[in-house]
Amino acid sequence: LLLYLHDVVYLLAAIMLVFLLLFRVVVVSGRSMNDTLYDGDYLLLLSNIFYSEPQAGDVIVAAKEDFKNGAPIVKRVIATEGQWVDIDFERGIVYVGDDPDHMVPLVEPYTKTLTTKAEGVVFPLQVDEGHIFVLGDNRDDSKDSRHPDIGLLDKREVMGKVIFLFFPGTNRGQYPMELDRIGVVK
């Protein structure tokens, strides 16, 4: 019995170490990422220890200390440092490029709504060094880099990259629990 208990303690310590260093678990709160993610979804993140360079298209979790007391927010990376971002709010199109004269419209099949709401940030803008520009997939119901309270996210505020949805939420009962949503998040 003592031998088994010894092995179980070592196994639990190894699992804890892996989850403390390599992975994190986060629960989605809010509707800003609908229909990609729902309120109540349980996500597995690749920790920022191993994920330090966000790329456009990545779904990330960040904690901005001066926004909601540092509560985790889930957003999609749209542009990285040095890139330019412009938004045509009348047509709902987001443009990204390496210089302000050569920006291309993003193809965004993951969005629930077009980007038609201006939130106070002036465009076009260049993403500062060490920062990223993020948007929620549900653009009509997302506080993101368009809003001065969030603005550009410092890469040090990124907790990790979302890699897997392992327990689906229901958007506070709005949708049935869909187990077929379990899997890799794109």
Side-chain angles (χ1 to χ4, degrees), residues 53-73:
E53 285 303 317
Q55 302 296 314
D58 290 350
V59 178
I60 57 102
V61 176
K64 190 164 183 87
E65 196 58 43
D66 54 347
F67 180 72
K68 292 187 178 182
N69 295 321
I73 56 173

Side-chain angles (χ1 to χ4, degrees), residues 139-180:
R139 305 286 165 83
D140 281 348
D141 195 9
S142 177
K143 201 173 233 187
D144 45 41
S145 288
R146 295 173 290 169
H147 198 284
D149 286 352
I150 294 183
L152 299 174
L153 284 178
D154 191 312
K155 288 194 297 189
R156 293 174 294 188
E157 296 170 324
V158 175
M159 296 169 60
K161 176 184 177 181
V162 176
I163 56 173
F164 197 80
L165 185 155
F166 67 89
F167 189 78
T170 61
N171 244 24
R172 298 186 181 141
Q174 184 179 1
Y175 301 106
M177 185 178 294
E178 300 169 349
L179 297 178
D180 60 332

Side-chain angles (χ1 to χ4, degrees), residues 83-153:
Q83 291 186 306
W84 286 82
V85 179
D86 198 5
I87 301 176
D88 181 344
F89 291 107
E90 288 184 20
R91 295 176 42 210
I93 300 173
V94 178
Y95 296 87
V96 175
D98 291 329
D99 67 72
D101 297 325
H102 297 96
M103 291 193 274
V104 295
L106 291 181
V107 177
E108 300 182 291
Y110 44 78
T111 59
K112 181 174 184 171
T113 55
L114 295 175
T115 314
T116 57
K117 290 175 81 175
E119 300 283 339
V121 172
V122 178
F123 293 94
L125 69 82
Q126 185 175 26
V127 180
D128 297 335
E129 186 176 330
H131 290 75
I132 56 176
F133 182 90
V134 297
L135 294 173
D137 288 355
N138 184 7
R139 305 286 165 83
D140 281 348
D141 195 9
S142 177
K143 201 173 233 187
D144 45 41
S145 288
R146 295 173 290 169
H147 198 284
D149 286 352
I150 294 183
L152 299 174
L153 284 178

Side-chain angles (χ1 to χ4, degrees), residues 8-23:
V8 168
V9 167
Y10 276 115
L11 181 63
L12 288 175
I15 290 172
M16 251 178 48
L17 192 60
V18 165
F19 274 92
L20 286 174
L21 294 177
L22 187 56
F23 299 109

